[in-house]
Amino acid sequence: MSLRQRPAAAAARGGGPDPGSGYGSTPPQANDYEEPFNIIPVHNLLADHPSLRYPEVRAAAAALRAVGDLRKPPYVQWRDGMDLLDWLGIFFGFQRDNVRNQREHIVLHLANAQMRLQPPPDNIDSLDHAVLRRFRRKLLRNYTRWCSYLGCKSNIWISERRESPFDQRRELLYTSLYVLIWGEAANLRFVPECICYIFHHMAGELNKILEDYIDENTGRAVLPSISGENAFLNRVVTPLYHTLKAEVDSSRNGTAPHSAWRNYDDINEYFWSRRCFQKLKWPIDEGSNFFVVKGKSKGVGKTGFVEQRSFWNIFRSFDRLWIMHILFLQAAIIVAWEGKEYPWTALESRDVQVRVLTVFITWAGLRFLQSLLDACTQYSLVSRETLWLGVRMVLKSIVATVWAVVFGILYGRIWSQRNSDHRWSAEANRRMVTFLEASFVFIIPELLSLALFILPWVRNFLEGTNWRIFYILTWWFQSKAFVGRGLREGLVDNIKYSMFWVVVLASKFTFSYFLQIKPMVAPTKAVLNLRNVHYTWHKFFDDTNRLAVGLLWLPVVLIYLMDLQIWYSIFSSFVGVMVGLFSHLGEIRNIQQLRLRFQFFAGAMQFNLMPQEQLLNARGTLKSKLIDAIHRLKLRYGLGRPYKKIESNQVEGYRFALLWNEIIETFREEDIISDQELELLELTPNTWNIRVIRWPCLLLCNELLLALSQAKELVDAPDKWVWYKICKNEYRRCAVVEAYDSTKYLLLDIVKDNTEEHSILRSIFLEIDQALQLEKFTKTYKTTVLPQIHTKLISLLDLLAKPKKDVAQIVNVLQALYEIYIKDFPKEKRTIDLLRQDGLMPERHTGLLFENAVELPEDASFYRQVRRLKTILTSRDSMHNIPKNLEARRRIAFFSNSLFMNMPHAPQVEKMMAFSVLTPYYNEEVLYSKEQLRTENEDGISTLFYLQKIYDDEWANFIERMHREGVKDEKEIWTDRLRDLRLWASYRGQTLSRTVRGMMYYYKALKMLAFLDSASEMDIREGSQELSSVGPMKRDGNVDDLGSAPSSRNLSRASSGENLLFKGHEYGTALMKYTYVVACQIYGTQKAKKDPRAEEILYLMKNNEALRVAYVDEVQTGRDEKDYYSVLVKYDQDLQKEVEIYRIMLPGPLKLGEGKPENQNHAIIFTRGDAVQTIDMNQDNYFEEALKMRNLLEEYRSYYGLRKPTLLGVREHIFTGSVSSLAWFMSAQETSFVTLGQRVLANPLKVRMHYGHPDVFDRFWFLTRGGISKASRVINISEDIFAGFNCTLRGGNVTHHEYIQVGKGRDVGLNQVSMFEAKVASGNGEQVLSRDVYRLGHRLDFFRMLSFFYTTVGFYFNTMMVVLTVFAFVWGRLYLALSGIEKSMIQSSNNNKALGTILNQQFIIQVGLFTALPMIVENSLEHGFLNAIWDFLTMQLQLASVFYTFSMGTRTHFFGRTILHGGAKYRATGRGFVVQHKSFSENYRLYARSHFVKAIELGVVLTIYASYSSLAKDTFVYIAMTISSWFLVVSWIMAPFVFNPSGFDWLKTVYDFDDFMNWIWYRSGVGTKADQSWETWWYEEQDHLRTTGLWGKLLEIILDLRFFFFQYGVVYNLGIANGHTGIGVYLFSWIGIVVLIGIYVIIAYARDRYAAKEHIYYRLVQLLVTVATVLVIILLLKFTHFKFIDILTSLLGFIPTGWGLISIAQVFRPFLKSTVVWEIVVSIARMYDILFGVIVMAPVAFLSWMPGFQSMQTRILFNEAFSRGLQISRILTGKKSNEKL
């Protein structure tokens, strides 16, 4: 592409060559040195850049330039300055910008790695060989494993044993080749083994060039088979990309069944077999069948796994779990059937023992089922190339069948012998032994796996080796796969999680046997023995009560299958708390506890955050670990008074003060503390010659007054005793010494030097000092006079603190003080001569003392110290509520607590691991605009007003800051300081600017730490003095700043304290260690459209120098053709504009799979460092947490179990909890999951995955194994968690660390929360189908598999089981009541026991309460037990249970529907503030199918049951039996209105109903949206039925048949039936249905035909129909047993039938669509939705009409905000004052 075609891009780069081009185009011009660079100017090592001062950078660049005698590429002019990457780029046809990008990548990484070398290399100016070798091994480890797996020879020709000088160049070439391939692979980065395949061949060709091979065809030196301009992109990447794209296109946007097209995993797994070499060849043969899209003949088809949509997947993936459940259930029923009290007494009987053996028959049957399911789902994997797979499937089914038959025969022989002998004879026993021998052979594989479980290293070795013999041995048990090998953990971990599960399973099975299974036996026998049951309906089978027994057992069995989730929840809570306690979490919960520990806090900060000088060989030894442990104990419990050390070592004190003050000042910049709180919290640098540590005023308050009262009481006590009493409290001692030293300095400072008054003051203090030294103070002076001096000092400080100083009054006070000292204070009076002699009186008396001697200083720092002294002297309260802001308190408490936890030592910044942060961004809010802040909703509330009320203290702090910065009038904020206002609001929402500010704290922290690492004692002392002289109030010069320096050259920028200290190198160090990349996918389009978001992103870049933005640029090349580029830009501070750094051409559009992972994947090539932290758009970070990042990265060096970590889990804090009660429930639930939940998963269970962000990835480990998420369309909709699955399957290790936290926002409105829950539940539904879950279910050992199941898909499956249990229970009761069996049971003798059992089962459902246990327990750990209980009770009063029950319904609906029919999709939740009332029609659209219809169904069942049940006649029994079901009905119907602002406002309810009816009747047309017309919405709700398969449709029809049961049960109980039980009654009732539909059709037809023009005819038809109906009713009443109540009763039977017919008609829509029947279906469906709408609306309307409910609802919804001054009543009634601010 020529330069002319893209002028803008070239212009932005200063007119260089087209960066997308390769080397064949014009060579780079002379302005090469001016070309933009990213972090270091590698192209110009002479540039003035702080990072270039490191010899390691120059060494790495020099190593790359050592081209030496390599054969130069032909056809391109080789120039000086070109390096190995250019050499590779020209030979293999890589893009020039890809080469530039990877050059910096490699140089940066090697330089950083060399900096970390311990001990440092001898020659720091050359690249150390060990660094390079280590990097190459890590980068290519996956490739070498792949070669070994496939049994092909690796193309890395380097001896691992000997080193030669040429090896270094070879190592560089191999690593460079790999990263160049990776950097240009685009979407192929998701298929890591495909990259291995490409690298394998290219490395082979590289070897031929290096070894000077001759081409046989041409006789010349060998050239790569792919070379030329952009050859790699065009000839390697593009063909593979187009295949992927064709597959995605054939998926019909993900709606086609997964089995019909190949996703990323299928493409990747093609490269797991040797056929890729035979079929694809090299250069890639585009005629290969690999490139044929499935559906056409001879395509490759699915590889490795076929994702089939079915509920059987849960059994397939976790068969061991279900086999355990089923076999125990069978055995328990057999044992319990005997009726003995204990199972072991029952097992003494030989009959029972033999019956228990039937479990082996069941087991063999289950194995057969598993093999059948494998064959049914995976048959399409079998092809000519994979025949053995088919053989294995068939053999497995045959063997399982044979076993079942063998066991059946052997079992039958035992009983035939027993029955013929009439006793257990020797022969019968011998046959039993034969059965046992056969069963022993049957379980040999299980015993083998048990042995390997006990010896995990043996299993790891067997799975890790690639010897063919092991493949043959394991061929029967599992298919060969590259991943999922060697997943066993070490012995210690094994024991830990095995013990956990043994206890959990023992509890569950004991409970199940004694409280679930055994109590059911007697009622079961009773029901089976019932004779002569009077059935009220037609019996299809004679005298069988087995269906009744089945229905009694169904809820019991369902609970039995799911209650392990509850047991897991209970035990994991307690284990999590124990782990938390041992990690020292929650020891400092509030400011009071911090006060007690603050004296050790400085030591803890020094110990953890400052690099420790250690001998090189001492680190990591047992001795050093022991010393560390002792030191931590000392710090934690204050042993050996560590604060004394700080007092003696001033540098440590200064360091601590600098860091602490920076944290407090960051708080002030964020407006979470006020100016006054800043002064109370900060550690003032020692400027007044004070002999003790100057603790924050907060700690010293009230201490001086207490010391004074002590001195007063101990009047006659000796000095030693008084001082001993004072020194008992460290803060009191410091307060006394500081008050004295400060007073002394102050008085000497305000009195002029060289005056008599000055010398008198000197003499006074000399006397006092002498008395103190000789311990004669109490003998010399009256301590009772101290309060007088104290009072006078306070009045002096008051005068000094006033804006206008009155010197005369100051002189008066000084004279009064002098008088007190001379006359009242000494115990012995002295004469005037003596006083003159001692220098305490002027020689000659001329006028008043001090009259002309007072001179007040001008500098601000003096008055700051005055304010501090005044606080120490005057404060009486204990200041427990400082700071006032809850968030500030929480952050201080967490940070201080974390410093007493165990964490690795911090290395120096230069020696730390480098890391990046990556944030994917699409089109969310960057910064709130003026309009967004001012626009009011229908209640008159603007976003700003809402924020002012919720964050009232932060708003006051913001206004105070603005006033300090010169704002006179608050109206100026909307004009001159609008940017500040917008930032303030945006930092309280979930915006990109908040995330960027948080992530840039890493950069700020690194600069600060780099300064402290290298600063001398002098620097630190001067620094703290300088900062104190500036003071915090004068530092906020640049108000547009977002918390970081705009330029490395502008070092003295006066916005943040730490920048005043820097020498310059800190910027270079920080930039080398940290990069922040935001993947703004459509930034290019936003710029073109002049979208304000583009300007705001530019503004963020301008103010944050470490921020880079990556985006996809689309360039039009022809009418319908576009080129796509991955572009990286930054803001150049010198040029004062945005510059383009790299532009790498892509093979086509970016988005083939899910959007977010594709966005991350395109930007990951621009990240740097050893680690990458993935941060979402709704996250935040804190400066004090950023200080601990280098400690966290050190975790990569330590082993956790057998392996070092590859993924570091980080704790999250949910910051949206204070917005409303709903947000609080959500954040409480989320907090317990992200803290306690993940803590247990990591330790002891060892199955923590990756649940969204902010985890830190080992970057090189992941980039060679498929990246940091998976992206296949639909199946990977929960893209994050697949990174964890992939990590575990590929032998990684995920840990969890709680000494560091990142903020996270959550959805705050019910509709947002429900959409989020729906997205996650659908994602879990898709995970069930995925190969990752199947492999983890089979490859993990049994106990880890249990942990994995119950914490991922199992949680959702069991939630669904709870709901199914309620339905099964209620439907079962309905059957018993309507059939008449219940009546017969009551009449028989055993009724009470049966009833008791069933009630017992019903209450077990309430054990769901235990799922709230993790929340309570985690809260107790971190905030105290009483707080936790209080919070829990408050939540219940705010109807948290209603919310949790409602969200259980959401999860159930979407999880179940996704598994059955698919339809998972990304749901954007908006993440805004919720102050807006949602209309009824919107709520109806969202929840009609998922909640309302199901709740109404349950309500109808319960109502009919109440009408017909003999048991329900007893009200108490009915309530006890159905209360939880009614609670579910009420929750599902009322929650959307309870949690809707103004949900019970009468006027809004009326408007809502009108709006609903308009929506229902609005006729849909082309382009009508679902929120406009009911019809469009109704069709959208059926989308899943269009895409589902045959089995999905069949299941849907079977489930819909339940609606016909109502009619069947009810018609026999009508008066008109007169007790007849023939089938005719039921058939006759269908005539009623047909008549009803006919009447409806006639009226509907008449309405459409006549209602508009000939209205009289329409009325006539209505009249005729009414008359006919009345006549029929009269005739029935007269001539049959028909009763009037039958009309209402029959409606309860007929209405569900109609709904069932409509539901089935929707399944048959393709056949009915073109017939007249479909119109009738649509018309009746509309009526049903009106009916449901009215049923749901009725209670809402009633509560709206009742007085007081609206205010009560508001109180419930906004209670948390209320307690912080939110005047919601004023807000929600719209009585907002008219003033804008």
Side-chain angles (χ1 to χ4, degrees), residues 1035-1047:
R1035 283 187 214 164
D1036 291 279
N1038 177 0
V1039 293
D1040 272 6
D1041 172 41
L1042 286 183
S1044 116
S1047 153

mmCIF file with all atom_site columns, all heavy atoms in Angstrom, residues 1035-1047:
data_model
loop_
_atom_site.group_PDB
_atom_site.id
_atom_site.type_symbol
_atom_site.label_atom_id
_atom_site.label_alt_id
_atom_site.label_comp_id
_atom_site.label_asym_id
_atom_site.label_entity_id
_atom_site.label_seq_id
_atom_site.pdbx_PDB_ins_code
_atom_site.Cartn_x
_atom_site.Cartn_y
_atom_site.Cartn_z
_atom_site.occupancy
_atom_site.B_iso_or_equiv
_atom_site.pdbx_formal_charge
_atom_site.auth_seq_id
_atom_site.auth_comp_id
_atom_site.auth_asym_id
_atom_site.auth_atom_id
_atom_site.pdbx_PDB_model_num
ATOM 1  N N   . ARG A 1 1035 ? 0.375  22.070 47.429 1.00 0.00 ? 1035 ARG A N   1
ATOM 2  C CA  . ARG A 1 1035 ? 0.951  21.182 46.436 1.00 0.00 ? 1035 ARG A CA  1
ATOM 3  C C   . ARG A 1 1035 ? 0.062  20.948 45.239 1.00 0.00 ? 1035 ARG A C   1
ATOM 4  O O   . ARG A 1 1035 ? 0.468  20.363 44.277 1.00 0.00 ? 1035 ARG A O   1
ATOM 5  C CB  . ARG A 1 1035 ? 1.236  19.829 47.065 1.00 0.00 ? 1035 ARG A CB  1
ATOM 6  C CG  . ARG A 1 1035 ? 2.468  19.891 47.897 1.00 0.00 ? 1035 ARG A CG  1
ATOM 7  C CD  . ARG A 1 1035 ? 2.808  18.527 48.343 1.00 0.00 ? 1035 ARG A CD  1
ATOM 8  N NE  . ARG A 1 1035 ? 3.383  18.636 49.662 1.00 0.00 ? 1035 ARG A NE  1
ATOM 9  C CZ  . ARG A 1 1035 ? 3.522  17.640 50.462 1.00 0.00 ? 1035 ARG A CZ  1
ATOM 10 N NH1 . ARG A 1 1035 ? 3.124  16.474 50.099 1.00 0.00 ? 1035 ARG A NH1 1
ATOM 11 N NH2 . ARG A 1 1035 ? 4.053  17.803 51.635 1.00 0.00 ? 1035 ARG A NH2 1
ATOM 12 N N   . ASP A 1 1036 ? -1.185 21.307 45.331 1.00 0.00 ? 1036 ASP A N   1
ATOM 13 C CA  . ASP A 1 1036 ? -2.096 20.953 44.245 1.00 0.00 ? 1036 ASP A CA  1
ATOM 14 C C   . ASP A 1 1036 ? -2.136 22.034 43.184 1.00 0.00 ? 1036 ASP A C   1
ATOM 15 O O   . ASP A 1 1036 ? -3.148 22.675 42.966 1.00 0.00 ? 1036 ASP A O   1
ATOM 16 C CB  . ASP A 1 1036 ? -3.484 20.704 44.804 1.00 0.00 ? 1036 ASP A CB  1
ATOM 17 C CG  . ASP A 1 1036 ? -3.490 19.445 45.628 1.00 0.00 ? 1036 ASP A CG  1
ATOM 18 O OD1 . ASP A 1 1036 ? -3.580 18.362 45.039 1.00 0.00 ? 1036 ASP A OD1 1
ATOM 19 O OD2 . ASP A 1 1036 ? -3.360 19.563 46.850 1.00 0.00 ? 1036 ASP A OD2 1
ATOM 20 N N   . GLY A 1 1037 ? -1.001 22.200 42.533 1.00 0.00 ? 1037 GLY A N   1
ATOM 21 C CA  . GLY A 1 1037 ? -0.942 23.259 41.543 1.00 0.00 ? 1037 GLY A CA  1
ATOM 22 C C   . GLY A 1 1037 ? -1.764 22.946 40.325 1.00 0.00 ? 1037 GLY A C   1
ATOM 23 O O   . GLY A 1 1037 ? -2.654 23.668 39.944 1.00 0.00 ? 1037 GLY A O   1
ATOM 24 N N   . ASN A 1 1038 ? -1.484 21.797 39.726 1.00 0.00 ? 1038 ASN A N   1
ATOM 25 C CA  . ASN A 1 1038 ? -2.118 21.463 38.454 1.00 0.00 ? 1038 ASN A CA  1
ATOM 26 C C   . ASN A 1 1038 ? -3.391 20.677 38.726 1.00 0.00 ? 1038 ASN A C   1
ATOM 27 O O   . ASN A 1 1038 ? -3.363 19.518 39.049 1.00 0.00 ? 1038 ASN A O   1
ATOM 28 C CB  . ASN A 1 1038 ? -1.128 20.597 37.660 1.00 0.00 ? 1038 ASN A CB  1
ATOM 29 C CG  . ASN A 1 1038 ? -1.725 20.149 36.371 1.00 0.00 ? 1038 ASN A CG  1
ATOM 30 O OD1 . ASN A 1 1038 ? -2.879 20.473 36.062 1.00 0.00 ? 1038 ASN A OD1 1
ATOM 31 N ND2 . ASN A 1 1038 ? -0.966 19.388 35.605 1.00 0.00 ? 1038 ASN A ND2 1
ATOM 32 N N   . VAL A 1 1039 ? -4.537 21.335 38.585 1.00 0.00 ? 1039 VAL A N   1
ATOM 33 C CA  . VAL A 1 1039 ? -5.780 20.671 38.970 1.00 0.00 ? 1039 VAL A CA  1
ATOM 34 C C   . VAL A 1 1039 ? -6.245 19.669 37.943 1.00 0.00 ? 1039 VAL A C   1
ATOM 35 O O   . VAL A 1 1039 ? -7.072 18.837 38.230 1.00 0.00 ? 1039 VAL A O   1
ATOM 36 C CB  . VAL A 1 1039 ? -6.913 21.700 39.197 1.00 0.00 ? 1039 VAL A CB  1
ATOM 37 C CG1 . VAL A 1 1039 ? -6.626 22.543 40.375 1.00 0.00 ? 1039 VAL A CG1 1
ATOM 38 C CG2 . VAL A 1 1039 ? -7.140 22.533 37.960 1.00 0.00 ? 1039 VAL A CG2 1
ATOM 39 N N   . ASP A 1 1040 ? -5.718 19.729 36.735 1.00 0.00 ? 1040 ASP A N   1
ATOM 40 C CA  . ASP A 1 1040 ? -6.156 18.766 35.718 1.00 0.00 ? 1040 ASP A CA  1
ATOM 41 C C   . ASP A 1 1040 ? -5.478 17.426 35.888 1.00 0.00 ? 1040 ASP A C   1
ATOM 42 O O   . ASP A 1 1040 ? -5.762 16.488 35.182 1.00 0.00 ? 1040 ASP A O   1
ATOM 43 C CB  . ASP A 1 1040 ? -5.813 19.287 34.307 1.00 0.00 ? 1040 ASP A CB  1
ATOM 44 C CG  . ASP A 1 1040 ? -6.932 20.137 33.782 1.00 0.00 ? 1040 ASP A CG  1
ATOM 45 O OD1 . ASP A 1 1040 ? -7.854 20.383 34.578 1.00 0.00 ? 1040 ASP A OD1 1
ATOM 46 O OD2 . ASP A 1 1040 ? -6.887 20.534 32.616 1.00 0.00 ? 1040 ASP A OD2 1
ATOM 47 N N   . ASP A 1 1041 ? -4.579 17.347 36.817 1.00 0.00 ? 1041 ASP A N   1
ATOM 48 C CA  . ASP A 1 1041 ? -3.746 16.153 36.928 1.00 0.00 ? 1041 ASP A CA  1
ATOM 49 C C   . ASP A 1 1041 ? -4.550 14.938 37.394 1.00 0.00 ? 1041 ASP A C   1
ATOM 50 O O   . ASP A 1 1041 ? -5.431 15.040 38.203 1.00 0.00 ? 1041 ASP A O   1
ATOM 51 C CB  . ASP A 1 1041 ? -2.655 16.447 37.960 1.00 0.00 ? 1041 ASP A CB  1
ATOM 52 C CG  . ASP A 1 1041 ? -1.884 15.207 38.254 1.00 0.00 ? 1041 ASP A CG  1
ATOM 53 O OD1 . ASP A 1 1041 ? -1.609 14.489 37.301 1.00 0.00 ? 1041 ASP A OD1 1
ATOM 54 O OD2 . ASP A 1 1041 ? -1.582 14.967 39.419 1.00 0.00 ? 1041 ASP A OD2 1
ATOM 55 N N   . LEU A 1 1042 ? -4.203 13.798 36.859 1.00 0.00 ? 1042 LEU A N   1
ATOM 56 C CA  . LEU A 1 1042 ? -4.874 12.570 37.286 1.00 0.00 ? 1042 LEU A CA  1
ATOM 57 C C   . LEU A 1 1042 ? -3.961 11.730 38.163 1.00 0.00 ? 1042 LEU A C   1
ATOM 58 O O   . LEU A 1 1042 ? -4.119 10.541 38.265 1.00 0.00 ? 1042 LEU A O   1
ATOM 59 C CB  . LEU A 1 1042 ? -5.289 11.755 36.067 1.00 0.00 ? 1042 LEU A CB  1
ATOM 60 C CG  . LEU A 1 1042 ? -6.472 12.296 35.297 1.00 0.00 ? 1042 LEU A CG  1
ATOM 61 C CD1 . LEU A 1 1042 ? -6.819 11.363 34.176 1.00 0.00 ? 1042 LEU A CD1 1
ATOM 62 C CD2 . LEU A 1 1042 ? -7.674 12.458 36.192 1.00 0.00 ? 1042 LEU A CD2 1
ATOM 63 N N   . GLY A 1 1043 ? -2.999 12.298 38.726 1.00 0.00 ? 1043 GLY A N   1
ATOM 64 C CA  . GLY A 1 1043 ? -2.200 11.558 39.692 1.00 0.00 ? 1043 GLY A CA  1
ATOM 65 C C   . GLY A 1 1043 ? -0.900 11.017 39.153 1.00 0.00 ? 1043 GLY A C   1
ATOM 66 O O   . GLY A 1 1043 ? -0.396 10.031 39.622 1.00 0.00 ? 1043 GLY A O   1
ATOM 67 N N   . SER A 1 1044 ? -0.331 11.623 38.125 1.00 0.00 ? 1044 SER A N   1
ATOM 68 C CA  . SER A 1 1044 ? 0.995  11.163 37.707 1.00 0.00 ? 1044 SER A CA  1
ATOM 69 C C   . SER A 1 1044 ? 1.659  12.242 36.866 1.00 0.00 ? 1044 SER A C   1
ATOM 70 O O   . SER A 1 1044 ? 1.011  13.154 36.379 1.00 0.00 ? 1044 SER A O   1
ATOM 71 C CB  . SER A 1 1044 ? 0.852  9.873  36.926 1.00 0.00 ? 1044 SER A CB  1
ATOM 72 O OG  . SER A 1 1044 ? 1.283  10.074 35.626 1.00 0.00 ? 1044 SER A OG  1
ATOM 73 N N   . ALA A 1 1045 ? 2.959  12.114 36.701 1.00 0.00 ? 1045 ALA A N   1
ATOM 74 C CA  . ALA A 1 1045 ? 3.669  13.196 36.034 1.00 0.00 ? 1045 ALA A CA  1
ATOM 75 C C   . ALA A 1 1045 ? 3.433  13.185 34.546 1.00 0.00 ? 1045 ALA A C   1
ATOM 76 O O   . ALA A 1 1045 ? 3.457  12.150 33.928 1.00 0.00 ? 1045 ALA A O   1
ATOM 77 C CB  . ALA A 1 1045 ? 5.153  13.016 36.294 1.00 0.00 ? 1045 ALA A CB  1
ATOM 78 N N   . PRO A 1 1046 ? 3.222  14.357 33.946 1.00 0.00 ? 1046 PRO A N   1
ATOM 79 C CA  . PRO A 1 1046 ? 3.025  14.359 32.504 1.00 0.00 ? 1046 PRO A CA  1
ATOM 80 C C   . PRO A 1 1046 ? 4.308  14.060 31.742 1.00 0.00 ? 1046 PRO A C   1
ATOM 81 O O   . PRO A 1 1046 ? 4.262  13.589 30.648 1.00 0.00 ? 1046 PRO A O   1
ATOM 82 C CB  . PRO A 1 1046 ? 2.544  15.756 32.197 1.00 0.00 ? 1046 PRO A CB  1
ATOM 83 C CG  . PRO A 1 1046 ? 2.564  16.524 33.445 1.00 0.00 ? 1046 PRO A CG  1
ATOM 84 C CD  . PRO A 1 1046 ? 3.052  15.671 34.538 1.00 0.00 ? 1046 PRO A CD  1
ATOM 85 N N   . SER A 1 1047 ? 5.439  14.385 32.293 1.00 0.00 ? 1047 SER A N   1
ATOM 86 C CA  . SER A 1 1047 ? 6.648  14.213 31.493 1.00 0.00 ? 1047 SER A CA  1
ATOM 87 C C   . SER A 1 1047 ? 7.839  13.948 32.382 1.00 0.00 ? 1047 SER A C   1
ATOM 88 O O   . SER A 1 1047 ? 7.948  14.457 33.474 1.00 0.00 ? 1047 SER A O   1
ATOM 89 C CB  . SER A 1 1047 ? 6.898  15.504 30.704 1.00 0.00 ? 1047 SER A CB  1
ATOM 90 O OG  . SER A 1 1047 ? 8.251  15.637 30.439 1.00 0.00 ? 1047 SER A OG  1
#
